[in-house]
């Protein structure tokens, strides 16, 4: 029988309870079990035959047999099979209704009983008509043969056909044909077969001995065999398992649990390649509980596994990158809370990763005074851009660190899910920046020094010239005055030059005192008249009503000088430089400068009729080192200094300029409210300064200067002892300390500095009085010196009046 199993049902036929025969019922096909109704039907036939036998035995009465036969007929009618009985000649003997129904036999046949008509009608419906006819012919020729067949209909139906000889008392009396419609069963079977064959997963049945009984195409392909036959021959444990020992474990689990589900196995292909699979299987038991087969599905996950490994690898790359990045990285959720942070973050901020998880980044690293700036990354969700900023952040211990911050939104599927915050410690960079700036400054001071040397030479030439004139004028005192005036003007200019240098270097303290700006301007104009080319006209429109401001007169002078020099440079062919001053209300200024909070401001306008500037230049003029002038001419520091000075005075500056039409700088300086006008600082007149009779020790290594000082002091009545250096000064002081009321010393002395000299003297005499003079002192050192007990400090070069006033003031302070 083609693919199948034949099931037999044997039922005894009894006569008066004794078994006289066996009714054999056979069923062929893929089905393995008998349906209960079929069993019942077979049993009822055997019962009937028994009854019939009994009846005929008992009375052989025809009647009884007839009854029995009619019962038999009734039973036949109730079966699902179509049955047709023919005699030995092949003439139709009987059939049941089901037969007519299955073959769709028309009514007329039941009436006409025309055998040929029936046969034609039947054959007509079949696909293989010739095959059927020759089988019929063969069976009629061989009445003892049985036959089974599947009939395919043109309309798609499928019948199972069974034909067997009919015997009575050992003689063949005819033949019974039975037909069953198996169309539905067939299509179900086919469907399953298709499912089985077309499954992408491997579907198999295997034996407990470890061979495949059946396996689908997917299996042949996955395991790399050329045919199903080849695959059915392999030994699963050794040919299919990558490691044959795994098979034991697998079978153990299957036996214990009764199934395996997604069991991970490593198998191999015919060529030895490794396969990662998941297997799901169940055993098949026989009725005695013995495992006769395994059924299962194998799912190939090799690719998946490889992809997973690749992903894992990639993840570990990124993890390592994250962990080892020299920049501190935090991952924030959309509420600014830290999800994770890397090692560099810990190194910058000292917080351990566990401490920071779940905390808001701003609470953690933004220093309290920057809270306003605050919400450093949480602003991101609104605009989803990248933020970059350089600022200060706070470490765990509260100390500050310079950082560059970059924020990136983390967007997944178009939705913002968090933020990367990247922090770079820029302390070193900042330090370098400062150094670089300092270096630039030095460089430009170098450039400047060239110009200053030139100016100084002029000044010295002037002084020298007039000094020689003085020699000659000894006899004409009326001419002397002119020379001394010129000399002192020249010295004044030299002093101004040095101040400018110091301001460039930003090493002067800002003195805050009352300043009359109009006077500063008038003085400046005087200076400019002497030094600027004659082609430049100078004009001033100064409001006489303006009050004094609080500031550093030297620095303000410097500002105006720098603006003037720029104006001069802008007017190479000449022009007019105008200064004007006026009072304006803070309210009006506020429109331009939001932080102009004072009530009143002094406006100083410096305008020229020069070349002007274009927009590109104008936007950069306050930058340090920005210059449009040729190398050696410009330093780019002029306006940077102006800007810095004005800022230090809480003032404002802006500029109006039109190319070829001139430039006006507006400087606004706040006028202090409610402070009395203290502008009139008395000019100290030499003649008006008191002298004295005390003995003074003058320490100065410069002979000319020492002589000058001695002369000035002696003229006012003092007794002067001179020393050329610190060593000599100490010797004199220690031998004659009783006499000496005050020591006047230069700061920069050979051997011992002025300050060290003071300390030495003080160690001997707590009450020593000293006035120190120096060209320049670091503001810090200066305050230290004054704190340590040096009575006064005078800036070199000083006028005789300043020296005399300082000496008198110090001497007059009573000691306690
Ligand atoms: P420097 O004078 O050394 O170039 P500053 O800082 O004083 O440096 O000025 C910067 C630049 O600003 C100048 O090089 C010049 O281009 C421009 N500038 C300043 N003042 C004027 C002005 N009054 N007229 C035209 N340009 C000016
Ligand atoms: Mg300049």
């Amino acid at each position: 029988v083609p693919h199948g199993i034949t099931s037999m049902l044997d039922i005894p036929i009894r006569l008066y309870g004794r078994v006289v025969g066996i009714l054999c019922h056979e069923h062929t096909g893929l089905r393995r079990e008998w349906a209960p109704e079929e069993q019942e039907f077979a049993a009822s036939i055997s019962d009937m035959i028994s009854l019939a036998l009994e009846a005929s035995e008992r009375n052989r009465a025809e009647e009884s047999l007839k009854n029995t036969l009619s019962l038999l007929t009734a039973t036949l009618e109730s079966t699902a099979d179509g049955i047709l009985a023919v005699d030995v000649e092949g003439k139709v003997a009987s059939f049941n209704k089901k037969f007519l129904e299955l073959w769709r036999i028309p009514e007329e046949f039941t009436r006409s009983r025309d055998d040929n008509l029936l046969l034609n009608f039947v054959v007509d419906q079949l696909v293989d008509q010739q095959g059927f006819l020759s089988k019929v012919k063969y069976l009629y020729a061989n009445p003892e043969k049985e036959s089974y067949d599947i009939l395919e209909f043109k309309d798609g139906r499928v019948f199972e056909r069974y034909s067997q000889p009919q015997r009575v008392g050992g003689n063949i009396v005819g033949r019974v044909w039975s037909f069953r419609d198996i169309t539905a069963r067939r299509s179900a079977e086919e469907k399953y077969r298709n499912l089985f064959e077309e499954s992408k997963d491997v579907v198999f049945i295997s034996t407990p001995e470890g061979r495949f009984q059946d396996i689908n195409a997917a299996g042949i392909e996955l395991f790399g065999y050329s045919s199903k036959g080849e695959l059915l021959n392999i030994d699963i444990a050794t040919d299919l398992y990558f490691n044959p020992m795994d098979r034991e474990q697998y079978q153990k689990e299957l036996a214990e649990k009764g199934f395996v589900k997604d069991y991970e196995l490593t198998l191999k292909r015919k060529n030895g390649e490794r396969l990662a699979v998941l297997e799901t299987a169940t055993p098949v038991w026989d009725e005695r509980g013995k495992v006769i087969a395994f059924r299962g599905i194998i799912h190939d996950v090799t690719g998946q596994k490889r992809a997973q490994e690749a992903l894992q690898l990639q993840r570990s790359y990124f993890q390592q990158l994250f962990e080892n990045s020299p920049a501190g990285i935090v991952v924030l959720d959309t509420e600014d809370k830290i999800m994770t942070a890397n090692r560099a973050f810990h190194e910058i901020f000292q917080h351990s990763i566990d401490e920071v998880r779940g905390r808001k980044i701003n609470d953690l690293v933004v220093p309290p005074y920057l809270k306003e700036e605050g919400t450093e990354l949480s602003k991101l969700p609104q605009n989803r851009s990248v933020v970059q900023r350089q600022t200060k952040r706070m470490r765990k211990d509260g100390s500050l660190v310079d950082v560059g911050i970059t924020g990136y939104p983390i967007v997944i599927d178009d939705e913002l899910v968090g933020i990367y915050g990247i922090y770079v410690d820029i302390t070193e960079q900042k330090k370098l920046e400062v150094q670089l700036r300092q270096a630039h400054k030095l460089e430009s001071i170098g450039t400047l020094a060239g110009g200053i040397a030139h100016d100084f030479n002029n000044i010295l030439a002037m002084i020298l010239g007039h000094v020689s004139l003085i020699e000659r004028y000894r006899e004409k005192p009326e001419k002397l005055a002119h020379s001394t005036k010129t000399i002192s003007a020249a010295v004044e200019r030299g002093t101004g030059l040095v101040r400018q240098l110091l301001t460039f270097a930003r090493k002067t303290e800002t003195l805050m005192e009352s300043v009359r700006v109009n006077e500063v301007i008038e003085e400046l104009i005087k200076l400019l008249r002497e030094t600027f080319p004659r082609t430049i006209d100078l004009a001033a429109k100064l409001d006489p009503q303006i009050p004094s401001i609080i500031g550093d007169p030297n620095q303000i002078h410097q500002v105006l000088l720098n603006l003037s020099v720029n104006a001069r440079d802008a007017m190479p062919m000449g022009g007019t430089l105008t200064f004007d001053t006026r009072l304006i209300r803070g309210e009006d200024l506020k429109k331009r400068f939001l932080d102009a909070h004072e009530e009143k401001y002094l406006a100083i306008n410096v305008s020229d009729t020069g070349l002007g500037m274009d927009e590109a230049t104008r936007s950069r003029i306050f930058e340090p080192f920005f210059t449009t002038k040729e190398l050696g001419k410009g330093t780019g520091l002029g306006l940077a200094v102006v800007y810095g000075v004005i800022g230090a005075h809480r003032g404002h500056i802006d500029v109006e300029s039109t190319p070829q039409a001139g430039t006006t700088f507006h400087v606004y300086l706040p006028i202090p409210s409610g402070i009395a006008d203290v502008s009139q600082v008395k000019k100290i007149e030499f003649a008006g300064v008191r002298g004295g009779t005390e003995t003074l020790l003058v320490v100065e290594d410069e002979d000319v200067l020492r002589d000058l000082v001695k002369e000035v002091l002696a003229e006012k009545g003092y007794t002067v002892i001179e020393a050329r250096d610190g060593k000599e000064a100490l010797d004199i002081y220690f031998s004659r300390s009783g006499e000496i009321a005050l020591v006047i010393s230069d700061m920069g002395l050979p051997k011992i500095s002025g300050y060290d000299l003071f300390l030495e003297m003080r160690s001997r005499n707590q009450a020593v009085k000293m006035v120190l003079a120096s060209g320049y002192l670091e503001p810090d050192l200066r305050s230290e010196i004054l704190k340590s007990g040096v009575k006064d400090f005078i800036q070199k070069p000083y006028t005789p009046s300043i020296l005399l006033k300082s000496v008198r003031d110090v001497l007059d302070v009573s000691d306690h």
Side-chain angles (χ1 to χ4, degrees):
V1 176
H3 44 237
I5 295 162
T6 306
S7 339
M8 305 273 283
L9 188 64
D10 306 331
I11 298 172
I13 301 173
R14 294 164 210 269
L15 187 55
Y16 306 125
R18 197 161 42 88
V19 176
V20 296
I22 291 171
L23 179 74
C24 296
H25 204 122
E26 191 177 333
H27 178 81
T28 310
L30 284 171
R31 233 169 16 143
R32 290 178 201 149
E33 273 161 35
W34 288 85
E37 63 269 20
E38 285 172 320
Q39 288 182 20
E40 236 166 67
F41 169 66
S44 69
I45 290 177
S46 94
D47 283 353
M48 257 166 286
I49 294 168
S50 297
L51 280 175
L53 284 174
E54 277 176 27
S56 62
E57 272 271 313
R58 244 188 339 255
N59 48 25
R60 297 180 192 278
E62 194 85 357
E63 201 58 28
S64 167
L65 191 60
K66 256 192 195 144
N67 284 347
T68 310
L69 282 174
S70 81
L71 269 174
L72 194 58
T73 314
T75 313
L76 280 173
E77 289 302 338
S78 69
T79 159
D81 291 342
I83 293 167
L84 172 73
V86 293
D87 63 16
V88 276
E89 266 97 56
K91 284 198 86 56
V92 173
S94 70
F95 47 82
N96 64 359
K97 272 213 197 79
K98 194 75 189 179
F99 172 78
L100 299 177
E101 212 178 280
L102 284 176
W103 283 97
R104 295 175 184 157
I105 310 278
E107 274 293 306
E108 51 174 306
F109 172 74
T110 44
R111 271 179 270 117
S112 72
R113 289 260 181 165
D114 181 335
D115 288 353
N116 277 331
L117 195 77
L118 177 69
L119 188 61
N120 284 341
F121 193 81
V122 163
V123 170
D124 215 34
Q125 300 183 52
L126 298 175
V127 175
D128 183 10
Q129 305 184 346
Q130 223 27 66
F132 181 73
L133 282 175
S134 57
K135 258 180 205 153
V136 170
K137 221 168 137 196
Y138 171 81
L139 287 174
Y140 287 160
N142 301 281
E144 76 290 351
K145 295 281 186 205
E146 273 182 48
S147 145
Y148 172 85
D149 203 0
I150 299 279
L151 301 177
E152 285 180 14
F153 280 58
K154 287 176 183 166
D155 66 5
R157 288 186 296 162
V158 182
F159 279 12
E160 221 171 38
R161 174 190 63 69
Y162 185 56
S163 176
Q164 67 188 119
Q166 187 70 31
R167 291 169 217 264
V168 171
N171 296 321
I172 292 170
V173 296
R175 176 169 286 278
V176 174
W177 298 80
S178 66
F179 305 96
R180 180 174 293 189
D181 184 349
I182 57 162
T183 316
R185 202 177 83 202
R186 244 315 176 79
S187 73
E189 271 170 24
E190 242 156 54
K191 228 190 290 173
Y192 284 117
R193 191 77 212 169
N194 285 346
L195 263 184
F196 171 78
E197 276 306 338
E198 282 164 20
S199 164
K200 294 267 178 296
D201 285 334
V202 178
V203 184
F204 68 90
I205 303 171
S206 67
T207 64
E209 291 74 41
R211 282 188 195 279
F212 287 119
Q213 221 166 54
D214 200 356
I215 189 158
N216 65 354
I220 302 165
E221 194 189 320
L222 179 64
F223 300 131
Y225 287 84
S226 51
S227 72
K228 186 163 173 172
E230 192 187 3
L231 188 53
L232 293 188
N233 265 328
I234 67 162
D235 178 59
I236 293 177
T238 56
D239 296 335
L240 200 67
Y241 273 63
F242 197 82
N243 179 5
M245 303 302 282
D246 289 352
R247 177 86 177 160
E248 241 171 76
Q249 179 60 34
Y250 162 81
Q251 278 181 321
K252 202 173 142 213
E253 181 148 345
L254 189 59
E256 273 169 14
K257 289 215 296 203
F259 66 92
V260 290
K261 181 146 184 0
D262 291 336
Y263 189 91
E264 275 183 50
L265 274 174
T266 308
L267 303 179
K268 65 181 176 199
R269 311 185 79 214
K270 189 183 173 190
N271 65 9
E273 268 172 34
R274 218 180 156 104
L275 288 170
V277 303
L278 297 178
E279 182 164 325
T280 297
T282 52
V284 181
W285 292 278
D286 69 2
E287 58 270 32
R288 264 162 278 138
K290 189 169 161 271
V291 173
I292 52 169
F294 299 107
R295 282 195 291 234
I297 293 176
I298 292 172
H299 181 59
D300 176 22
V301 292
T302 313
Q304 215 169 303
K305 199 138 194 184
R306 232 176 262 147
Q308 214 169 38
E309 277 165 11
L311 200 71
Q312 211 129 35
L313 202 66
Q314 204 175 39
R315 199 174 292 156
S316 84
Y317 290 154
F318 282 121
Q319 184 70 27
Q320 280 176 33
L321 180 69
F322 176 75
E323 268 313 320
N324 299 328
S325 159
I329 306 176
V330 276
V331 182
L332 306 177
D333 64 13
T334 50
E335 279 161 14
D336 223 17
K337 288 202 189 112
I338 298 174
M339 297 201 280
T340 183
N342 71 351
R343 208 173 48 206
F345 183 84
H346 159 77
E347 274 158 15
I348 297 172
F349 294 107
Q350 297 160 356
H351 292 284
S352 78
I353 308 305
D354 292 332
E355 274 169 5
V356 303
R357 208 164 271 138
R359 303 264 314 266
K360 287 208 170 203
I361 182 79
N362 292 324
D363 298 343
L364 212 62
V365 301
V366 179
Y369 79 97
L370 285 177
K371 274 289 180 260
E372 295 285 306
E373 177 184 314
T375 56
E376 55 191 60
L377 300 170
S378 57
K379 288 248 170 64
L380 212 53
Q382 279 107 46
N383 53 25
R384 291 195 177 187
S385 61
V386 173
V387 287
Q388 258 172 321
R389 181 187 301 150
Q390 285 198 358
T391 181
K392 285 192 190 298
R393 286 296 174 257
M394 194 175 59
R395 296 197 185 91
K396 189 179 177 183
D397 63 8
S399 62
L400 295 176
V401 53
D402 284 305
V403 290
I405 307 173
T406 310
Y408 288 101
I410 310 173
V411 177
I412 295 176
D413 287 341
D414 236 14
E415 201 186 326
L416 184 98
V417 296
I419 294 150
Y420 293 117
I422 301 169
Y423 293 83
V424 180
D425 185 341
I426 54 168
T427 314
E428 275 306 305
Q429 190 182 325
K430 271 271 143 99
K431 248 188 241 162
L432 285 176
E433 257 171 41
V434 170
Q435 277 173 14
L436 193 71
R437 214 175 294 142
Q438 200 65 31
H440 270 304
K441 209 188 266 179
L442 285 176
E443 196 179 282
S444 62
I445 285 170
T447 318
L448 204 69
I452 284 173
H454 174 80
D455 278 6
F456 254 112
N457 274 339
N458 285 346
I459 290 166
L460 294 177
M462 232 152 79
I463 295 173
L464 206 65
H466 280 278
V467 166
S468 60
L469 280 179
I470 288 172
E471 309 261 284
R472 272 192 268 144
Y473 289 159
R474 214 163 278 171
E475 264 76 64
K476 302 176 191 158
E478 70 281 359
K479 293 233 174 167
L480 263 178
H482 172 67
S483 287
T484 51
K485 236 172 139 187
T486 315
I487 289 173
S488 76
V491 170
E492 199 102 349
R493 245 176 82 193
T495 312
L497 271 174
V498 172
R499 287 235 167 84
Q500 176 146 356
L501 251 188
L502 293 177
T503 314
F504 278 135
R506 297 218 193 180
K507 290 236 164 139
T508 46
E509 292 174 287
T510 307
L511 291 170
M512 285 299 175
E513 57 189 58
S514 182
V515 184
R516 291 181 149 252
V517 172
N518 284 351
E519 280 174 18
V520 175
I521 294 175
E522 275 157 6
E523 260 174 56
L524 176 71
I525 290 177
K526 266 188 233 155
L527 178 74
L528 300 182
R529 280 230 162 84
E530 278 185 41
T531 52
F532 272 20
R534 298 271 164 252
T535 50
I536 293 177
D537 288 331
L538 296 164
K541 292 178 218 151
L542 307 178
D543 178 354
Q545 301 298 320
I546 57 167
S548 305
I549 59 149
I550 298 292
D552 182 328
N554 294 325
Q555 290 192 0
I556 288 171
H557 179 88
Q558 186 73 64
V559 163
L560 296 170
L561 184 66
N562 289 3
L563 293 176
S564 306
V565 169
N566 281 347
R568 178 199 64 194
D569 294 347
M571 299 187 287
M573 316 298 290
T576 310
L577 169 58
T578 313
F579 297 89
D580 78 68
T581 55
R582 70 180 75 141
L583 203 61
I584 66 162
R585 296 187 309 161
E587 259 171 68
D588 296 335
L589 199 56
K590 237 188 164 127
K591 286 172 206 146
R592 247 185 298 176
F593 302 101
L594 283 176
D595 53 343
H597 295 307
E598 292 303 327
E599 199 185 321
K600 286 186 210 153
Y601 283 83
L602 164 61
I604 311 166
N605 302 323
V606 182
S607 3
D608 64 58
T609 55
L611 299 170
M613 293 171 256
D614 58 17
E615 179 56 41
T617 303
R618 202 172 59 190
S619 66
R620 300 191 56 194
I621 52 174
F622 295 114
E623 279 176 31
F625 311 113
F626 174 79
T627 179
T628 57
K629 294 167 193 170
E630 63 189 75
L631 197 70
K633 287 255 169 81
T635 59
L637 280 172
L639 290 179
V641 165
V642 165
Y643 193 85
V645 167
I646 293 189
H649 282 75
R650 292 185 302 110
H652 304 279
I653 182 165
D654 68 12
V655 61
E656 281 173 78
S657 183
T658 319
Q660 307 309 326
T663 304
T664 302
F665 280 91
H666 304 277
V667 174
Y668 305 100
L669 295 171
I671 292 183
S673 46
I675 292 178
D677 191 1
V678 286
S679 64
Q680 207 50 20
V681 179
K682 276 252 166 57
K683 267 231 153 158
I684 310 160
E685 287 299 331
F686 179 68
V689 185
R690 276 200 303 127
T693 52
E694 290 90 344
T695 301
L696 311 175
L697 172 60
V698 172
V699 194
E700 170 64 67
D701 54 325
E702 202 76 58
D703 293 344
V704 183
L705 206 54
R706 194 175 58 243
D707 285 347
L708 181 71
V709 171
K710 182 185 172 184
E711 221 159 282
V712 167
L713 292 171
E715 197 179 319
K716 284 285 176 181
Y718 297 105
T719 307
V720 178
I721 309 167
E722 293 172 75
R724 261 179 303 269
D725 57 45
K727 179 84 184 51
E728 192 183 339
L730 275 179
D731 291 344
I732 296 170
Y733 187 74
F734 290 152
S735 55
R736 303 166 66 172
S737 70
E739 287 170 55
I740 296 168
L742 174 70
V743 184
I744 300 160
S745 172
D746 187 27
M747 182 68 187
L749 291 172
K751 297 179 190 158
I752 302 178
S753 84
Y755 184 45
D756 291 337
L757 180 64
F758 167 75
L759 295 176
E760 281 291 317
M761 290 176 174
R762 195 188 61 176
S763 68
R764 200 59 82 83
N765 175 12
Q766 277 292 315
V768 63
K769 283 183 174 173
M770 183 183 275
V771 171
L772 263 177
S774 173
Y776 172 70
L777 265 192
E778 287 277 351
D780 283 353
L781 182 58
R782 178 182 167 146
S783 65
E784 183 197 321
I785 288 174
L786 290 176
K787 249 185 255 153
S788 72
V790 170
K791 295 301 183 216
D792 197 8
F793 181 85
I794 50 179
Q795 174 92 44
K796 269 174 136 181
Y798 44 82
T799 60
S801 333
I802 288 176
L803 174 67
L804 288 171
K805 184 171 187 309
S806 170
V807 167
R808 199 59 256 163
D809 286 351
V810 171
L811 288 174
D812 287 348
V813 172
S814 57
D815 306 309
H816 347 251

